[in-house]
Amino acid sequence: MSQNALEVKNLTKKIKSKKIVDSVSFSVEKGEIFGLLGPNGAGKTTIIRMIVSLINRTDGEVVINGHHLDQSFAEAMSSLGAIVENPEFYKYMSGYKNLQHYARMAKMKISEERLQEVIKLVALESAIHQKVKTYSLGMRQRLGVAQALLHNPAILILDEPTNGLDPQGIKEFRQYLHDLTTQGISVLVSSHLLAEMQLMCHRFAIIEQGKLIHISTMDETVEEDNEEKREVGFEVDKPEQAISILRNSDIPYEFIQQQHSTLTLKLTKSSIPLINKWLVENEIGVFAITVRKSTLEDRFLEITSPQGGKQQL
């Protein structure tokens, strides 16, 4: 059996003469959360809709848990769970009754034991017998995940799953997804919330104008090399005098700003102790040194918009 829960090979979608998605290839490993990032209109949702067979592919292959979509459609789809749009339920029925309804429609038999298992997995035990109309948006999202997990898929695909959730709901939802990966389930998620994707995903791909332009682990993206410049704040007792003293040093740095008693400089990691030593030796008291770490947003804007990140997410 494949080590990947999902493999996408040269996925292409053409409408008339325009390529909406252009030869996109990536894989999702078992037990990982993989993110699809990109500006609005980049093609993320089109990619997802092709994977789950809501729209036809112009070209390319989709392999789900070792099953080719074109050769073993039923087996491939049985390994897949998805929420492509906001999950819809019968609001006058309880969450439990809704899950029972979907379980009866499934091609495979869903046991009561499995029902209880997914309810516990998404932490809805206390509310599962309440009517769905009483549920918050976050609870409905979790019920949607429970429905998608009923048939025990290898991979869960989510398109903008945290839309409309408040910060607490987003945090809880992220934790549920991480809990799923401990059960061996993989997750493919598309979102424009970069800070949230940084906390959520193990790996990610950036899609721009239908093309895959970058793919890496989250650690590789936000980790900085020792000689890569970063912004560092030095809180000092005599900021104006410190600026004058730094001008006389031969340590390479770029002055960014002074805000109250903090000087922000752009310099390499190896230069931080040298700046600190120079200030102290010149009788400048240094109270704190703060390194601003690169974020996924920084990297995203560097990759997609070399002119300074003017694209609209």
Side-chain angles (χ1 to χ4, degrees):
M1 186 62 73
S2 171
Q3 292 303 305
N4 295 319
L6 173 68
E7 295 174 46
V8 170
K9 303 174 183 178
N10 301 314
L11 200 62
T12 301
K13 180 64 177 177
K14 206 172 180 182
I15 298 179
K16 295 183 179 178
S17 60
K18 184 178 181 181
K19 283 187 177 178
I20 309 300
V21 174
D22 189 358
S23 298
V24 168
S25 299
F26 62 86
S27 62
V28 180
E29 297 171 6
K30 291 186 176 178
E32 80 165 339
I33 301 176
F34 187 94
L36 277 184
L37 308 180
N40 286 336
K44 305 186 302 294
T45 297
T46 302
I47 290 169
I48 285 177
R49 291 172 74 86
M50 283 192 284
I51 292 171
V52 302
S53 295
L54 285 176
I55 59 175
N56 293 327
R57 288 164 277 139
T58 302
D59 200 3
E61 293 179 64
V62 176
V63 182
I64 302 170
N65 204 31
H67 303 292
H68 285 254
L69 203 56
D70 292 330
Q71 299 164 13
S72 308
F73 182 81
E75 291 86 348
M77 294 306 289
S78 68
S79 298
L80 172 71
I83 305 176
V84 178
E85 295 172 351
N86 287 334
E88 292 295 330
F89 296 100
Y90 296 104
K91 294 180 180 178
Y92 62 88
M93 288 165 50
S94 68
Y96 181 77
K97 292 288 186 185
N98 270 278
L99 289 182
Q100 273 191 324
H101 172 70
Y102 284 109
R104 283 194 293 269
M105 292 195 299
K107 291 185 177 179
M108 60 183 287
K109 181 174 173 57
I110 308 295
S111 67
E112 176 62 25
E113 183 181 6
R114 179 59 184 167
L115 266 176
Q116 296 300 329
E117 190 179 325
V118 295
I119 291 166
K120 185 176 181 181
L121 198 59
V122 298
L124 275 177
E125 302 103 301
S126 61
I128 198 63
H129 293 292
Q130 296 174 17
K131 290 183 178 180
V132 169
K133 67 181 180 181
T134 68
Y135 282 18
S136 67
L137 180 57
M139 291 167 71
R140 290 200 299 275
Q141 289 286 64
R142 282 149 53 193
L143 187 64
V145 171
Q147 179 223 316
L149 292 174
L150 279 174
H151 60 290
N152 201 19
I155 183 165
L156 182 64
I157 297 181
L158 307 170
D159 188 20
E160 302 282 358
T162 56
N163 269 0
L165 296 186
D166 60 22
Q168 182 63 28
I170 291 173
K171 182 180 178 181
E172 290 174 359
F173 193 78
R174 183 205 318 143
Q175 186 57 55
Y176 299 136
L177 295 187
H178 280 291
D179 290 345
L180 289 180
T181 63
T182 66
Q183 310 287 322
I185 297 170
S186 304
V187 181
L188 172 64
V189 57
S190 133
S191 179
H192 65 281
L193 301 176
L194 298 181
E196 181 53 35
M197 292 291 267
Q198 182 173 335
L199 295 171
M200 186 186 294
C201 300
H202 302 106
R203 290 193 303 134
F204 71 97
I206 293 178
I207 308 296
E208 186 174 38
Q209 295 180 351
K211 295 182 178 181
L212 191 154
I213 61 169
H214 181 83
I215 188 166
S216 71
T217 69
M218 198 61 70
D219 288 342
E220 288 170 344
T221 299
V222 299
E223 192 177 75
E224 292 166 309
D225 184 83
N226 281 358
E227 296 311 306
E228 186 175 351
K229 289 187 177 181
R230 74 289 314 275
E231 290 185 10
V232 182
F234 291 84
E235 186 183 345
V236 296
D237 59 351
K238 293 172 278 189
E240 287 78 12
Q241 190 176 334
I243 291 171
S244 178
I245 287 167
L246 285 172
R247 288 197 187 110
N248 295 323
S249 79
D250 58 0
I251 306 167
Y253 73 90
E254 179 187 340
F255 181 78
I256 303 297
Q257 67 174 3
Q258 175 194 347
Q259 190 169 26
H260 305 301
S261 60
T262 298
L263 309 180
T264 302
L265 312 178
K266 194 167 189 178
L267 66 166
T268 62
K269 186 176 180 180
S270 59
S271 295
I272 296 173
L274 301 179
I275 291 283
N276 182 49
K277 183 181 178 184
W278 181 262
L279 291 171
V280 172
E281 286 178 346
N282 285 276
E283 300 182 347
I284 301 294
V286 180
F287 302 126
I289 300 174
T290 307
V291 180
R292 180 184 177 274
K293 292 187 176 181
S294 289
T295 64
L296 177 59
E297 181 178 20
D298 295 331
R299 290 292 192 252
F300 179 90
L301 293 175
E302 284 173 16
I303 293 164
T304 61
S305 186
Q307 283 75 36
K310 293 181 180 177
Q311 285 201 59
Q312 201 75 26
L313 282 183

